[in-house]
C-alpha cells in the first residue's frame, strides 16, 4: 500500500513539473514570448495534442541548448537570433507533423533538423535579417523610430497590431483575415511566386489548394527593415527634398505589392489580406456579382501576378 502511494505521488510531481516547464518564459519576456501549452492559434491545430506537446518540447530543448528562440504564438512567428531570422510557425509545425513518429520519438533532433533545412535559406515563411542594419539615424530616425514609421504605413495605418524587434530589423504586422484562400490565387513572398493550384496539364497532378481559414483569423506580414531601409535610401537619392513619410508611403506599398524580397507571410496571403496590407479597398462588384477586372479603373491595384515562371510553394 505504501509503495502504491509513493508511486502516485511521484507521478503527480512529474506531471506538475512538466506542465510548469512547458509554460515557463524562455527569455524573460511577457506572454508573447512563452512556449504556451494551451491550444489557441491556427498553427497549433496543424498538430495533434501529443504532437504539439512534442513540438514545444523540441523548441524548448533547442532554445536551452544555446540557440535562443522567441515564440510569438498569436502572430505565428518564431524569431531566432544567431543568426537573426523570422520563421513561420505554420511552416515549422506543418513540417514537424509530416515527420510523424520520428518527430514524436526525437522532438529535439527533429526541430534541430528542420531549423537547418527550412531556415538555412529564404523561402515563403522564412525571412533572413541583417545584423547592425541601422547604426545611428536616418533622417532623424533611429532604429525604433524607423520601425514605427514603417509600421504606420502598412495598411495605410489601419492594419492590425505591430510588433517585432527593431534591434534585429524585424517587424511583424497582423493583417486581419477575411475568408478562405481562393483557389488559383497567385501571390509573391520573398520574391517567389506562389500558386495554390497549377492548372497546366503539362505540369503533372495539381497541388491541392491551400486549406480554408476561418474568417477573421489574422495573417502576419513579416518585414526585414534592413531591405526597407535600402529602398528608402534609394528613394531619398532620387527625391532629396521629399518628406520621410512620403518616401515610406512610396517604398513600403511597392515592396508589399511586389512580394519582396524583404518580406514574407506566416501563411500564403489571400487577395483580401494583400489589399488590407496595401491599404486599398476591395474591388467593387460588377453586375452579376463578379469583381471588376484587375488593372481596370475600378479594380484593385495591379500587382505582380503573371503566371510565367511561377513556382510551387516549398
Amino acid at each position: 500500500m505504501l509503495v502504491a502511494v509513493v508511486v502516485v505521488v511521484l507521478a503527480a510531481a512529474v506531471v506538475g513539473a512538466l506542465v510548469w516547464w512547458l509554460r515557463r518564459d524562455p527569455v524573460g519576456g511577457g506572454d508573447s514570448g512563452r512556449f504556451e501549452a494551451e491550444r489557441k492559434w491556427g498553427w497549433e491545430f496543424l498538430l495533434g495534442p501529443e504532437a504539439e506537446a512534442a513540438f514545444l518540447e523540441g523548441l524548448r530543448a533547442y532554445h536551452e541548448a544555446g540557440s535562443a528562440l522567441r515564440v510569438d504564438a498569436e502572430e505565428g512567428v518564431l524569431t531566432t537570433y544567431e543568426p537573426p531570422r523570422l520563421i513561420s510557425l505554420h511552416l515549422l509545425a506543418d513540417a514537424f507533423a509530416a515527420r510523424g513518429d520520428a518527430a514524436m520519438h526525437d522532438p529535439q533532433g527533429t526541430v534541430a533538423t528542420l531549423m537547418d533545412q527550412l531556415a538555412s535559406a529564404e523561402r515563403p515563411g522564412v525571412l533572413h535579417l541583417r545584423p547592425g542594419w541601422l547604426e545611428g539615424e536616418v533622417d532623424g530616425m533611429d532604429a525604433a523610430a524607423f520601425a514605427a514609421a514603417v509600421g504606420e504605413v502598412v495598411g495605410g495605418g489601419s492594419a492590425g497590431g505591430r510588433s517585432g524587434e527593431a534591434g534585429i530589423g524585424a517587424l511583424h504586422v497582423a493583417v486581419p483575415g477575411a475568408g478562405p484562400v481562393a483557389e488559383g490565387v497567385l501571390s509573391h513572398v520573398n520574391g517567389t511566386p506562389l500558386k495554390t493550384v497549377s492548372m497546366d496539364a503539362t505540369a503533372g497532378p495539381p497541388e491541392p489548394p491551400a486549406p480554408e481559414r476561418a474568417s477573421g483569423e489574422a495573417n502576419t506580414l513579416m518585414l526585414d527593415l534592413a531591405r526597407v531601409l535600402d529602398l528608402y535610401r534609394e528613394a531619398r537619392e532620387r527625391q532629396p527634398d521629399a518628406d520621410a513619410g512620403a518616401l515610406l508611403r512610396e517604398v513600403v506599398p511597392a515592396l508589399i505589392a511586389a512580394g519582396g524580397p524583404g518580406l514574407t507571410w506566416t501563411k500564403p496571403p489571400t487577395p483580401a489580406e494583400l489589399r488590407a496590407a496595401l491599404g486599398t479597398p476591395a474591388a467593387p462588384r460588377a453586375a452579376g456579382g463578379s469583381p471588376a477586372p484587375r488593372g481596370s479603373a475600378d479594380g484593385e491595384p495591379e500587382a505582380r501576378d503573371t503566371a510565367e515562371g511561377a513556382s510551387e510553394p516549398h
Side-chain angles (χ1 to χ4, degrees), residues 75-78 85-89 91 121-129 154 171-175 187-192 194 219-225 227-228 255-256 258-269 274 277 314:
E75 296 177 352
V77 177
L78 178 73
R85 296 169 295 193
L86 299 178
I87 302 166
S88 165
L89 282 169
L91 174 69
E122 286 197 333
R123 66 184 70 226
V126 177
L127 190 64
H128 290 189
L129 307 173
V154 178
L171 178 66
H172 328 150
V173 181
V175 178
S187 62
H188 294 71
V189 180
N190 269 343
T192 301
L194 295 179
N219 200 350
T220 301
L221 173 64
M222 300 180 283
L223 283 161
D224 172 18
L225 292 171
R227 279 175 278 192
V228 177
L255 176 62
I256 295 171
L263 68 82
T264 191
W265 297 73
T266 54
K267 298 167 285 192
L274 286 169
H314 294 277

Side-chain angles (χ1 to χ4, degrees), residues 58-98:
L59 288 176
R60 179 170 299 286
Y62 187 84
H63 170 78
E64 294 185 344
S67 301
L69 301 174
R70 182 175 181 84
V71 175
D72 290 288
E74 182 175 2
E75 296 177 352
V77 177
L78 178 73
T79 304
T80 70
Y81 295 92
E82 294 180 358
R85 296 169 295 193
L86 299 178
I87 302 166
S88 165
L89 282 169
H90 296 263
L91 174 69
L92 195 59
D94 188 54
F96 187 91

Side-chain angles (χ1 to χ4, degrees), residues 2-302:
L2 179 59
V3 172
V5 171
V6 171
V7 169
V8 169
V9 170
L10 287 175
V14 169
V15 171
L18 178 60
V19 170
W20 169 82
W21 181 70
L22 284 173
R23 292 179 178 272
R24 283 185 305 161
D25 185 348
V27 291
D31 289 342
S32 64
R34 294 173 184 261
F35 292 105
E36 185 61 59
E38 184 179 357
R39 295 164 65 80
K40 294 181 179 180
W41 316 116
W43 61 267
E44 296 178 290
F45 294 98
L46 296 169
L47 302 161
E50 295 82 7
E52 185 189 1
F55 181 60
L56 293 173
E57 178 185 344
L59 288 176
R60 179 170 299 286
Y62 187 84
H63 170 78
E64 294 185 344
S67 301
L69 301 174
R70 182 175 181 84
V71 175
D72 290 288
E74 182 175 2
E75 296 177 352
V77 177
L78 178 73
T79 304
T80 70
Y81 295 92
E82 294 180 358
R85 296 169 295 193
L86 299 178
I87 302 166
S88 165
L89 282 169
H90 296 263
L91 174 69
L92 195 59
D94 188 54
F96 187 91
R99 293 297 181 103
D101 290 342
M104 299 294 291
H105 293 143
D106 182 16
Q108 180 179 0
T110 300
V111 166
T113 298
L114 292 176
M115 294 293 286
D116 288 340
Q117 292 179 347
L118 295 178
S120 60
E122 286 197 333
R123 66 184 70 226
V126 177
L127 190 64
H128 290 189
L129 307 173
R130 186 191 308 164
W133 66 279
L134 177 56
E135 297 178 358
E137 296 182 347
V138 57
D139 289 344
M141 296 179 286
D142 62 11
F146 186 82
V150 172
E152 285 300 318
V153 172
V154 178
S158 61
R162 300 164 182 83
S163 61
E165 297 184 48
I168 60 171
L171 178 66
H172 328 150
V173 181
V175 178
V181 177
E183 187 171 319
V185 169
L186 180 71
S187 62
H188 294 71
V189 180
N190 269 343
T192 301
L194 295 179
K195 190 164 48 177
T196 56
V197 175
S198 172
M199 302 306 293
D200 184 354
T202 66
E207 293 290 329
E212 292 191 356
R213 301 201 293 272
S215 179
E217 180 183 347
N219 200 350
T220 301
L221 173 64
M222 300 180 283
L223 283 161
D224 172 18
L225 292 171
R227 279 175 278 192
V228 177
L229 179 61
D230 291 342
L231 296 172
Y232 177 87
R233 284 174 166 158
E234 291 174 6
R236 170 60 72 202
E237 290 180 2
R238 297 191 301 268
Q239 304 174 62
D241 299 324
D243 175 77
L247 290 181
L248 286 173
R249 287 190 294 273
E250 170 189 325
V251 165
V252 175
L255 176 62
I256 295 171
L263 68 82
T264 191
W265 297 73
T266 54
K267 298 167 285 192
T270 65
E273 289 164 348
L274 286 169
R275 286 194 298 267
L278 289 165
T280 58
R285 293 280 173 180
S290 299
R294 289 180 60 85
S296 69
D298 295 327
E300 62 184 274
E302 192 78 28

